[in-house]
Amino acid sequence: MSKLPPSSSCKLSLAISKWATLLGHARVLTNTQLNTYQQSTSGIHQEIAAALLVENSGQVQSIVQIALEHSIPIYPISTGNNWGYGTMLPPKEGCVIVDLSALNSIIEYDETLGLVTVEPGVTQEQLSHFLRERNAKFVTPITGSSPHCSVLANALERGFGLTPTFSHARSITALKSVLGTGEIYQSVLSGFGDGKVAKCYQYGIGPDLDSLFIQSSYGVVIEATLQLARSSDSVLVFSIDPSGNSEENLKRLIDQSRETRERLDPESFSLKISNNHYLSPVIDGEKGNSDISEETTWKLWGALYGEKEVLKAKQKHIKKQLSPYGENLRFISESKFHFLSKIGRYIPQSIAPKTKELLKSADIIFSYTRGIPCEKALEVVYSTLHTQSLSPIRNPARDGCGVLWYPAVIPYTSSDFMRIWKETLNICANQQLTPIVSSTAVSSSALLFLVMFVFDQSTEKEKAWRAFDELFQASYATGAVPYRAHSNTMSRYLTEQNKVFWQAQQKIKDALDPNNIISPGRYSIHINSHKQ
């Protein structure tokens, strides 16, 4: 257990005794049993008091009530794969981890409406297998992380992906949570009839209180219903490079892509803007070139969803709008992809490199768009560090990889893109880090600009954090700060201009978790004490 004052240590011992009675002694971990929970990609050490392995959702309310009785802070995790954002470490020391990974039931699935109710431990791989096994016409909300990450936790953190439901938080239609008071909260319409209406209508009646549980610490969410995206009749993958790799053509492609997406329905047009430091490892695996001195090149790539005839018209429109500023514009349908994959060795050498590159990237995108998760995006970490996973299932924290994500939301304009890119490039050059960037269109007006600081924990931790801090400071004036906070950076989001926001947040916290039991410091800033 962590070092605590005698009074706190006594309270913790009493709480642990009661949790052991509730869960069984084998499911209450202390001391060296906590090593796994202290593994992090951030190079940070955090004292953890204990860890509780939950077997069923009914135990969570009792766990919270015991924590409340003895004033012991708890920190719930789902699968614990929050790499780049703190992994499993709480914002504050001395918390008890509540491990919900065994809560992995797919409680209900409505094959007509595409509604699925899941517990926190349900992974992308599990849900994907469940849906494909039933030949479902709906797809799993996939991220660019790992098949072993939680579907629900990603949605609660406002995660995003390449399927037609880009924003996973928006897919939550109903939820159930144990509040810091020990009470059970449910979506308002769950109190009527069999609760089916509550699951198919996101807003219920009155204030939208369900949204309070997204990026917050008011309760432990033990289940949620998600509206799945329907599998598209056809998918068309495309990619284009700025002509001559010129900055001017990149800027024109960014602005033109925004206008093109607006005309063609953004919900059926996923788009990413990635540099070679990201794409080379993802596409070529261990052959990826992570040389810091390598010239940066860019690629716009993504997918279109819809009926075949509609996609033909969209393809024609994209070609007309983007071709003047780009080169190597390529489109590939699933049928063409499968055909070229079969005859790959017969493709003429004159076009083989570009075609094979397209096939590799299309393979990843088609997997995502069909709701099939993969680990290819993690190649960025392993290839950049020239290391390999210790097991078939990749886990950067377990493997000692250094990873810090900086996911800034910026206006979807070329000027805003180039501003943060140049800041990133200068900072990475000064700190001798590879400037790995992949940006995603998350709306008609916003881009998510993700900077990936990948580093050797034994020798580069300090400069990685310096780079993160410098980019945060440089972006402060423009507001391009991470939309998703690292557990160690929560307090940085307080400014004089947003003080009233945090004061309002604190009033809600005081009402729903008056003893500050659940995840203290997580998206919660105490204004008066200037503490997280």
Side-chain angles (χ1 to χ4, degrees):
M1 292 184 286
S2 62
K3 297 177 181 179
L4 297 170
S7 60
S8 298
S9 182
C10 181
K11 290 180 179 179
L12 178 61
S13 296
L14 290 171
I16 284 179
S17 177
K18 291 183 179 180
W19 283 323
T21 300
L22 173 69
L23 304 172
H25 290 276
R27 304 191 72 81
V28 179
L29 309 183
T30 58
N31 301 317
T32 57
Q33 295 173 310
L34 301 173
N35 290 343
T36 298
Y37 295 97
Q38 292 174 318
Q39 293 174 346
S40 169
T41 64
S42 308
I44 292 173
H45 178 78
Q46 192 82 293
E47 290 291 340
I48 297 170
L52 310 178
L53 307 182
V54 183
E55 282 188 291
N56 61 74
S57 60
Q59 295 171 336
V60 177
Q61 185 176 26
S62 297
I63 287 172
V64 172
Q65 289 170 340
I66 293 170
L68 187 61
E69 179 185 353
H70 297 284
S71 300
I72 303 298
I74 60 175
Y75 187 74
I77 62 170
S78 51
T79 57
N81 297 331
N82 196 26
W83 306 309
Y85 299 108
T87 313
M88 291 181 269
L89 295 180
K92 288 180 175 291
E93 291 195 325
C95 288
V96 171
I97 298 290
V98 180
D99 187 337
L100 306 174
S101 59
L103 303 188
N104 60 357
S105 296
I106 297 174
I107 298 171
E108 184 179 358
Y109 171 58
D110 188 319
E111 62 181 7
T112 303
L113 300 177
L115 296 167
V116 64
T117 303
V118 299
E119 291 185 316
V122 174
T123 65
Q124 296 177 31
E125 181 178 65
Q126 181 186 350
L127 181 56
S128 176
H129 178 77
F130 175 90
L131 294 173
R132 286 183 286 124
E133 193 175 49
R134 289 159 177 75
N135 293 315
K137 53 189 177 184
F138 299 94
V139 296
T140 302
I142 297 300
T143 69
S145 183
S146 163
H148 310 289
C149 290
S150 166
V151 173
L152 176 52
N154 180 263
L156 292 174
E157 275 291 291
R158 295 198 181 103
F160 63 94
L162 278 177
T163 54
T165 305
F166 303 138
S167 170
H168 297 163
R170 278 173 29 202
S171 70
I172 298 175
T173 59
L175 56 79
K176 181 186 292 186
S177 177
V178 180
L179 303 179
T181 59
E183 300 168 292
I184 300 288
Y185 168 93
Q186 296 187 77
S187 302
V188 62
L189 293 182
S190 298
F192 295 88
D194 59 4
K196 186 174 181 180
V197 172
K199 294 180 178 180
C200 65
Y201 182 57
Q202 186 176 36
Y203 300 106
I205 188 170
D208 181 14
L209 297 186
D210 285 12
S211 295
L212 290 176
F213 296 92
I214 295 171
Q215 283 197 355
S216 70
S217 58
Y218 305 137
V220 182
V221 178
I222 54 176
E223 70 175 63
T225 300
L226 308 177
Q227 174 67 69
L228 301 176
R230 184 178 292 273
S231 180
S232 179
D233 293 337
S234 298
V235 179
L236 191 65
V237 169
F238 74 94
S239 67
I240 186 171
D241 308 326
S243 293
N245 194 38
S246 76
E247 179 179 311
E248 192 59 36
N249 282 326
L250 172 61
K251 290 163 64 176
R252 289 176 176 173
L253 276 179
I254 291 171
D255 289 329
Q256 196 61 48
S257 70
R258 181 192 65 248
E259 295 181 13
T260 303
R261 286 185 79 249
E262 289 175 353
R263 292 192 182 99
L264 298 183
D265 176 21
E267 291 297 317
S268 63
F269 187 164
S270 65
L271 176 73
K272 296 182 78 70
I273 306 168
S274 308
N275 66 15
N276 53 314
H277 302 295
Y278 172 83
L279 284 174
S280 292
V282 170
I283 293 174
D284 295 324
E286 295 300 326
K287 298 178 181 179
N289 190 346
S290 59
D291 185 0
I292 296 173
S293 62
E294 182 187 8
E295 179 186 10
T296 300
T297 60
W298 293 92
K299 185 183 294 292
L300 279 73
W301 57 296
L304 302 168
Y305 311 94
E307 298 178 357
K308 284 186 178 181
E309 293 306 313
V310 175
L311 292 186
K312 286 181 181 179
K314 290 185 176 182
Q315 177 178 343
K316 185 177 180 180
H317 183 81
I318 290 174
K319 186 174 182 180
K320 178 181 178 181
Q321 297 300 318
L322 301 187
S323 289
Y325 317 111
E327 58 191 18
N328 301 319
L329 174 60
R330 287 178 170 82
F331 295 89
I332 184 168
S333 63
E334 283 185 282
S335 58
K336 185 177 180 181
F337 166 74
H338 292 305
F339 173 73
L340 291 176
S341 296
K342 289 180 180 178
I343 66 163
R345 59 179 177 172
Y346 302 111
I347 296 174
Q349 286 300 313
S350 58
I351 62 171
K354 289 293 182 183
T355 301
K356 289 181 178 179
E357 179 185 277
L358 178 62
L359 288 175
K360 289 178 180 178
S361 59
D363 187 21
I364 298 169
I365 298 176
F366 282 131
S367 292
Y368 287 162
T369 57
R370 291 308 183 193
I372 304 172
C374 68
E375 292 187 325
K376 289 296 292 183
L378 289 178
E379 285 285 5
V380 174
V381 175
Y382 289 89
S383 181
T384 301
L385 293 174
H386 303 289
T387 189
Q388 294 185 358
S389 176
L390 298 177
S391 79
I393 297 177
R394 288 177 172 169
N395 184 319
R398 178 205 59 213
D399 296 335
C401 301
V403 180
L404 281 175
W405 294 157
Y406 189 100
V409 174
I410 62 173
Y412 194 161
T413 70
S414 60
S415 59
D416 286 283
F417 185 96
M418 296 310 298
R419 181 187 298 114
I420 191 170
W421 161 240
K422 289 181 178 179
E423 289 169 349
T424 300
L425 186 61
N426 290 335
I427 289 168
C428 285
N430 291 337
Q431 300 299 334
Q432 287 292 291
L433 293 170
T434 307
I436 305 170
V437 172
S438 186
S439 186
T440 304
V442 292
S443 74
S444 298
S445 57
L447 286 172
L448 193 148
F449 189 94
L450 176 61
V451 183
M452 308 173 198
F453 296 114
V454 179
F455 60 95
D456 185 323
Q457 287 205 38
S458 62
T459 61
E460 299 179 313
K461 180 182 73 173
E462 288 76 15
K463 68 180 185 180
W465 273 105
R466 278 198 300 271
F468 184 98
D469 294 342
E470 289 176 13
L471 185 55
F472 200 109
Q473 191 62 38
S475 303
Y476 209 77
T478 61
V481 294
Y483 87 99
R484 181 173 170 180
H486 187 285
S487 62
N488 198 46
T489 67
M490 298 288 176
S491 61
R492 301 186 187 193
Y493 289 84
L494 171 63
T495 70
E496 187 61 35
Q497 290 75 25
N498 67 22
K499 186 165 66 173
V500 173
F501 170 88
W502 291 113
Q503 288 173 334
Q505 175 277 142
Q506 189 57 47
K507 291 176 182 177
I508 298 171
K509 177 73 168 172
D510 290 343
L512 302 183
D513 182 16
N515 286 44
N516 200 22
I517 291 298
I518 298 175
S519 304
R522 185 178 187 273
Y523 297 107
S524 177
I525 299 175
H526 291 263
I527 303 295
N528 296 332
S529 61
H530 298 284
K531 292 181 180 180
Q532 291 184 35

